[in-house]
Amino acid sequence: MQLTVNGDPAELADGATVADLVAARAAGHDRVAVARNGDVVPRSSWAATPLAPGDAVEVLAPTAGG
């Protein structure tokens, strides 16, 4: 399926979940936040939140700075 991840077009397998996306895109990051179509997806819901064609997903890792 086609969707947008962090503003870029992406292709994922049909039936992919938020957890699948994070595993593929944010490996090595223990702490990330995910928003799907503008709504934050709680970490406890990642495995149960399916992605759909056309979704806009942001996967964000915190950064230090000032």
Side-chain angles (χ1 to χ4, degrees):
M1 79 179 110
Q2 298 252 330
L3 61 153
T4 303
V5 179
N6 294 346
D8 295 321
E11 182 80 24
L12 285 171
D14 289 342
T17 65
V18 170
D20 297 327
L21 174 65
V22 171
R25 293 285 181 124
H29 291 285
D30 292 342
R31 299 181 186 271
V32 295
V34 178
R36 177 179 166 252
N37 300 325
D39 295 321
V40 173
V41 180
R43 184 179 298 265
S44 61
S45 299
W46 288 0
T49 303
L51 296 170
D55 278 351
V57 182
E58 297 290 326
V59 179
L60 306 167
T63 58

